[in-house]
Structure formats: structure tokens, C-alpha cells
Amino acid sequence: MDNDLNVTYFITFAGHVEVDKYRYLYFVMMLTVYILIICSNSTIVYLIWNHQNLHEPMYIFIAALLINSVLFSTGIYPKLLIDFLSDRQIISYSTCLFQLYAYYTLASSEFLLLAAMSYDRYVSICKPLQYQTIMTKTNVNVLLFVAWLVPVCQGVVTVVLSAKKKLCAFTLKGIMCNSTFQTLHCVRSTMLNIYGLVVLVNMVICPTIFVLFTYTRIFIITYRSCREVRRKAAQTCLPHLIVLINFSCLLVYDVLLLRMGTEFPKIVRFIMTLQLLMYHPLFNPIIYGLKMKEIYKHLKIFFRKMF
């Protein structure tokens, strides 16, 4: 393999654990989870779309977050399912770059969407009289547009910088193209590392600090109010906070994997990656479907009609 133009690079995945022995078990398990992810997230999105009383900014942001989860999973699961039924787990160089791009773009969008949701809750609880004038349909659309556009633009730069680097290795330690892709480069790119840290600050750290700040303000203000106000604030804010903490903890592993050069046993890498791919996309519809009162009410009616 050389670095000439029009040459397709095939990168073998070394992150699978005894794939030959458990390939059909892996396939059935991952296919089942993928179907559950699509069905559970799509059901909540359908309910929000179909019921007029859910056409509020808070629920629109929830729908956007769930759509983001489906897109995130779709960028990874089809390739994984093919891997489990194949004798060799390989991926073309261009497909690997696309998966890397989709992975970090959609992960970044999740943090920005959670930040937009926290801002909506802050305005609703702390500035209720100004809510209708601040959270207009236009402003909501702008927040959604920014949450998806900014990561898309930043992701392009990451992929372009990665594509220009020469490869000296062709075996990935993981089961998909994520931060481990940079370990294939002959020389670690200082520019790519610096840019990656800038993106990390912009897309992860700043939104997380913003969410924590807004929710802290909310809890301080509601603490001084009556019990009913505190209960309502907790009911709407805690699900968002739980989702943020859950996703942040899973991505910490991904950062450690490359930035700190931390080595993990193969089985640990495999389990942690599956946590990110399986647990989180299923966690979102469960937490919002059960903890958001209005969505839960429509969900019960929906299942009664179905069964």
C-alpha cells in the first residue's frame, strides 16, 4: 500500500473480541439494538411531531436530540453488522474518514443541542415573562441550525488535515474509525492535535460549562420558590442533566484513548465502545419518554392503541 492517488486503503479492525467465535451472537445482538434504537427514538419523535401541545421549544430540542442519536448510530451500525458477517473486518480509507467525520460531527452536535435545551429551560424558569419573545420560532430554528452547522464545518477541517497525513500502519485498535485513526499516521500532527483541542473546548467543554452554569442558576432561583416550582424545575431539567453527564463520561474515555496515550486492554476498549454505541442511543428515549410528563402521557396512549 502506498500513498499514491486513486489507491484505496484497507484498514483492518483489531478491536473485535473473538469475532470468529461469536460473530452470529454479535450480529444478532447489534441488529436487535440498532432496531430498538431506531424504533424507540423514532416513536418519541413521532409523538412530538404529531401532537400540537408538544410543539414547544423544549420538545423540539428533544426531537432534534433523538434524531441526532439515530444519525449517530446509522453512521456506525451498518458497517459493524457487515464486519460481524465478514471473514475480515476491513474498511476503505475514504469510508473510514467519512465515519470519523460523522462520529465527531454528531457527537459535537449533541453537546450543542443540550446547551440549547438548557438555555430554553433557563429562560422558561428564570425569565418566564420574556419566554415568548425570546424563544420564538425563528430563534429556535437558529439554535438548531447552529447546533448542526458548526460541527459540520469544524469536522471538515479535521478530515482534511487527517487525509493529508501519510499512513504507516493499517490496523486500528478499535471497532470503528474514531480517535484511534490518528495512531495510524507516521508522525503525529501538531496542527491536528492543537485543532482537536480547540474543537474539544468549543464543542464539548464550553457547552458543558454553559449547561452546568444555567442549571445552577435555575436550581438557585427555584430553591427560593415554592415546592411546586422546585418540582417542576427538577422534572424538566434533571433528564437533560442526566443525559449530559452520561454522554460526557462516555466521551472522556475517547479523549483519554488518544490525547493521553492511555493504553487499555482489548476487552476494556471493546466494552467501552459498545457502551457508547448501545447504551447512550437507547438511554435518551428512555429517559425522556419516562421522565418528561407530557411525553410519557402520550406514550402510554400510543401503546394502548398499539396493543
Side-chain angles (χ1 to χ4, degrees), residues 101 105 108 149-159 195 198-200 202-203:
Y101 174 73
T105 296
S108 299
L149 180 64
V150 173
V152 163
C153 295
Q154 292 194 340
V156 169
V157 178
T158 301
V159 170
Y195 184 74
V198 171
V199 172
L200 179 68
N202 289 341
M203 297 292 100

Side-chain angles (χ1 to χ4, degrees), residues 74-298:
T74 302
I76 298 169
Y77 273 84
K79 180 62 180 72
L80 276 180
L81 294 172
I82 293 172
D83 282 345
F84 294 139
L85 295 182
S86 303
D87 293 330
R88 296 178 62 203
Q89 290 73 51
I90 58 176
I91 187 171
S92 68
Y93 185 47
S94 57
T95 304
C96 188
L97 286 173
F98 176 78
Q99 192 177 74
L100 176 77
Y101 174 73
Y103 178 84
Y104 285 109
T105 296
L106 293 169
S108 299
S109 293
E110 179 126 355
F111 281 98
L112 293 180
L113 287 170
L114 287 169
M117 292 163 73
S118 72
Y119 178 68
D120 172 70
R121 290 300 82 208
Y122 171 77
V123 176
S124 175
I125 295 171
C126 301
K127 300 181 179 181
L129 299 179
Q130 302 176 47
Y131 184 76
Q132 295 299 328
T133 57
I134 295 176
M135 297 307 295
T136 62
K137 184 177 180 180
T138 300
N139 288 341
V140 170
N141 289 334
V142 168
L143 289 173
L144 290 173
F145 184 71
V146 170
W148 274 314
L149 180 64
V150 173
V152 163
C153 295
Q154 292 194 340
V156 169
V157 178
T158 301
V159 170
V160 170
L161 291 175
S162 296
K164 290 182 177 181
K165 299 296 294 182
K166 184 178 180 181
L167 300 178
C168 284
F170 300 91
T171 301
L172 279 168
K173 294 180 180 179
I175 62 174
M176 62 182 181
C177 293
N178 55 0
S179 61
T180 56
F181 178 77
Q182 293 185 35
T183 62
L184 305 179
H185 295 157
C186 298
V187 180
R188 289 286 183 91
S189 172
T190 302
M191 182 182 296
L192 192 58
N193 283 336
I194 293 174
Y195 184 74
L197 289 174
V198 171
V199 172
L200 179 68
V201 171
N202 289 341
M203 297 292 100
V204 178
I205 296 177
C206 286
T208 300
I209 292 173
F210 179 77
V211 171
L212 294 176
F213 171 76
T214 54
Y215 285 158
T216 300
R217 290 287 301 160
I218 289 171
F219 291 136
I220 290 173
I221 290 173
T222 55
Y223 180 76
R224 301 168 185 165
S225 304
C226 64
R227 180 179 297 179
E228 180 61 24
V229 174
R230 291 198 297 269
R231 186 191 63 81
K232 184 179 179 181
Q235 188 180 58
T236 58
C237 294
L238 282 179
H240 308 324
L241 198 56
I242 291 171
V243 169
L244 173 70
I245 293 170
N246 170 66
F247 196 53
S248 299
C249 290
L250 291 173
L251 281 186
V252 163
Y253 162 77
D254 190 74
V255 174
L256 289 174
L257 192 63
L258 178 68
R259 302 300 172 189
M260 296 181 63
T262 308
E263 286 292 332
F264 295 96
K266 186 177 181 180
I267 186 66
V268 174
R269 293 200 306 268
F270 185 66
I271 292 173
M272 288 299 295
T273 303
L274 288 183
Q275 285 279 313
L276 185 62
L277 299 184
M278 297 170 62
Y279 174 66
H280 183 69
L282 283 174
F283 180 78
N284 282 357
I286 291 173
I287 195 70
Y288 289 121
L290 297 180
K291 293 296 184 181
M292 303 299 290
K293 184 179 178 180
E294 288 299 317
I295 294 178
Y296 181 61
K297 181 176 69 175
H298 288 296

